[in-house]
Amino acid sequence: MTEYASAEDLEVSDLGDGEDLVLPSGKKVRVRGLSRHELMFNGKGTEDQALVERRNVVNCVLIPRMTLAQVEKWQRNTIAGGDFKVLSEFIRDMSGIAQGADKSGVSEVRGES
């Protein structure tokens, strides 16, 4: 018989402590994926995808910690295919929201009793 999770089991963070990413420039950062809450609220109140991207970076770059203003300055001063793009794509991959991400995990468990 399957034992069900408790509410306390589900409240525990599964974000982990992040992963190191070496950017194309050779600089290293520590990054984690987006929480579900961040995914839902980083786009709230704006249609500006650049702002959403900045909010994602602020939430997910653990080392070095950066402010929204610092991330915006970096975003404005980097080439389109450089460090910032690589970081944003890494965050999307870690968060499971990259284009073509596997969405089949739920259906695999549905048949269990």
Side-chain angles (χ1 to χ4, degrees), residues 53-89:
E53 183 178 51
R54 289 191 298 272
R55 289 174 177 172
N56 290 346
V57 169
V58 166
N59 289 136
C60 294
V61 174
L62 303 174
I63 302 173
R65 294 303 301 173
M66 298 177 74
T67 66
L68 196 59
Q70 289 171 318
V71 172
E72 182 175 7
K73 184 175 182 181
W74 181 26
Q75 186 185 44
R76 288 179 181 273
N77 294 321
T78 190
I79 62 171
D83 285 357
F84 202 89
K85 175 184 181 267
V86 169
L87 173 63
S88 288
E89 289 173 353

Side-chain angles (χ1 to χ4, degrees), residues 96-108:
I97 57 173
Q99 204 167 26
D102 183 17
K103 310 252 191 277
S104 62
V106 173
S107 60
E108 292 173 10

